[in-house]
Every structure is written in C-alpha cells, then in structure tokens.
Amino acid sequence: MKSRIYLDHAATTPVSPAARKAVMAALELGGNPSSVHAGGRAANALLEGARDAVARFAGVAAEHVVFTSGGTEAIALAANGARASGPVKPRLLVGATEHSAVLQARDDAKVLPVDGNGLIDLKALAAALAEGPALVAVQAANNETGVIQPLAEVAALVWETGSLLLVDAVQAAGKLPLTDADFIALSAHKMGGPPGVGALIVRDPESLMAIQRGGGQERGHRGGTPNLPGIAGFAAAVAQAHDWSPVAARRIALETRLKAGGAIIHGEAAPRLPNISSIGLPGVAASTQVMMLDLEGYMVSAGAACSSGKVKASHVLAAMGLGPAAGEAIRVSLSPATTDAEIDAFAAAWLAMAARLGRKGAA
Ligand code: PLP
C-alpha cells in the first residue's frame, strides 16, 4: 500500500518527542497546582516552570503569560476581556482575513478590508481609528496563505490613538520573531505541542478582565484547573527552535514547478511564512482537488480546517477579491521534517491532477 504524505501542518503538526515526554511526565506527576500539600506544590512548580519557558519564548516576564485552552480561547479572552481605560469594552476592529476565532469572537466587530495580496488596508485602519479608541486584531500571518501582516505599521497607528493591539500569532510563532503587541495569542498544537492548550501574552495584566472567573487561577485571568500535561508539552515545544530556511526553499521550489502546470499562488507578492502555500487550480473546486489528492495519498486542505469537515469557499481568498477562484485553492503546509522526496512526489501528483482536470488539460 502507498504511504500517505502529510502536508497539512498548518492545521496541526505532530507532537514532538520532547513534548510527548513532558506530557507523560506531567500525567505521572498528577496533583493540582492549587493544592497546598506536597503534591500540589510539585504540580505548581511544574506549572510555573512551564510559564517561565513560554515567557522566555515570548520575551516577557512570567506574569504576562495566561495559559488557555488554545488559540481560540486566547483570542476570545482578549477580544472580550481587554479594557483600554475604565470598565467599558473597547470597539473591536478586525482584518477581513483573520481566522474565524477572531471574526467570531464578538458580534459587533467592524471588519477592515485587505488588498489583493491579503495585506491590511492601513488607510482604512487609520480612518476607523480616527473614530475613537478600539481593540484592533491583526494576525501576524495568515493560516491559509501564509501572508505576513505589516505589524510595525499597524502597531504605530494603533498606539498613536491610544488603542490596543491583539495579534493572533498562532501560525507565525516559532517561524517569525514575535513583535510587540498588547495581546498575543499562541497555540501549542501548531508548534509541536499538544492540541487544546495555548496562551495569551498580556503586556499590561491590568488591561485584561477575566471572562471565565471560577477559582481565580492564572492570577485571576482565567479560572479553571489548568491543563498541566498540555502546558508542560507546550513549554517543551516552544523550547525547541527549528531552521525554517530549507522549508521556505522547498516551498518556493514546489510553487515554481506547479506554476509551470497552471497553478496560481495566492498572496505571492506579499511576504509569507516559510511553510504555507495557497495553490489555485482555475476551474476546479477545492473540494475536488482535496479528494483527488487524498486518493493519491496526499493530505492537504482547502483553506482552513473546518470543524464540520466540509469544504467552503475561503473567506480569506474572497476578501482578497478572488471571486469564484476563492473556492478553487488548496492549502499545502510543510514542516521542517518534510523531505525533498515528499515534495517531488506531491508535485508530480498535483501536475497529473491539473493535466486531467485543469482548464489547460480540458482545453
Ligand atoms: N488563529 C489561527 C491563525 C489559526 O490558524 C488557528 C487554528 O487553526 C487558531 C487561531 C485557533 O487555534 P486553536 O486551534 O488552538 O484554537
């Protein structure tokens, strides 16, 4: 039987051996970090050691790290708990290509346009900020196209109006340096840690109200017994650095080969993450492409991984003005473990599919 090749690392990437070991050790340790007895103290020491590791990774002190159940919860906490000054929730401004975790975090978010490469429209942001202070959510890099946002320019606009910046760094963390923001959302399972754990990095802990209060854990910012095995695995994952330059070289080589066969690379003109490519095949539904490639043994996705398992036209590509082409792209995402042989085999399979189904082949 043909072996299967996983090219969907932006959906989730395998748990690293070090993270696995840390999860197992924490499970064996047991104990609730809130208990005052010896078992509780040992669990608390593990929790605080993990907090130190994530803080080091983010370049902040430990009290700025709030552990959550993942990227979605970290974003929801900032979107609903951020306070600029006083008790009033600030307005929320979000980029049109944000992950649904951001777009769905509040019903009253105002959506800002992006250009044809998916870069945020800075003029529209400045105009929206002129109406008064807000919480602005702009991702570090997009999960479907890998497009990297100009966060230094965004931050300057946000801060000169006394507003707050929330950066969804779920895809970028570990691949790009984290830039300054009031809130940064991280997720372990995109970095070699286990799923169901993440963190919100908070510049000023006074600017965050808890959404889930419970027993006052996480210095009152997030009630609930922490997922210590997950957190231990997360800390082990962030401690491991990877060299992403060979990954970028492989992605670029793949894109070059596929373009010769009729592929369109979305967001190509913008700076992008080393590992994500949004590959359009004109005239062929993304769902057909994903199924055909799956039959050939290649696991890729159509835009974002959707909880229903259904393939919908991408809101990211639609926001970039692609029209029907928004439903004709797949996402291929690599890891440092992806080999040249895997890329070669995938390129051959994609080109064969394009020759059979693409407009070029049909003509
Ligand atoms: N933000 C981005 C850019 C993502 O890619 C994801 C996951 O796909 C999330 C947020 C949500 O993170 P989590 O799965 O940890 O809730």
Side-chain angles (χ1 to χ4, degrees), residues 10-11 69-73 75 99 101 139 141-143 168 170-171 186-190 196-197 331:
S69 64
T72 303
E73 188 195 326
I75 290 163
H99 190 271
Q139 60 199 179
N142 186 265
N143 49 297
D168 171 359
V170 165
Q171 292 290 344
L186 302 175
S187 174
H189 75 112
K190 313 288 188 182
V197 59
R331 174 184 68 187

Side-chain angles (χ1 to χ4, degrees), residues 63-147:
E63 63 266 28
H64 300 273
V65 177
V66 178
F67 286 118
T68 65
S69 64
T72 303
E73 188 195 326
I75 290 163
L77 175 56
N80 293 287
R83 295 291 180 269
S85 57
V88 183
K89 233 193 221 186
R91 294 181 305 136
L92 179 62
L93 307 176
V94 303
T97 56
E98 293 296 307
H99 190 271
S100 51
V102 172
L103 295 173
Q104 302 295 321
R106 264 168 61 178
D107 289 337
D108 58 348
K110 180 180 160 93
V111 179
L112 302 169
V114 297
D115 70 12
N117 279 301
L119 295 170
I120 188 98
D121 181 335
L122 293 169
K123 283 205 182 103
L125 172 60
L129 285 169
E131 290 168 25
L135 172 66
V136 177
V138 177
Q139 60 199 179
N142 186 265
N143 49 297
E144 295 186 26
T145 59
V147 166

Side-chain angles (χ1 to χ4, degrees), residues 5 7 250 254 257 298 337-349:
I5 292 177
L7 295 172
R250 285 194 182 99
L254 172 66
R257 283 175 71 177
Y298 300 94
T338 304
T339 63
D340 286 332
E342 288 174 331
I343 293 293
D344 275 352
F346 174 74

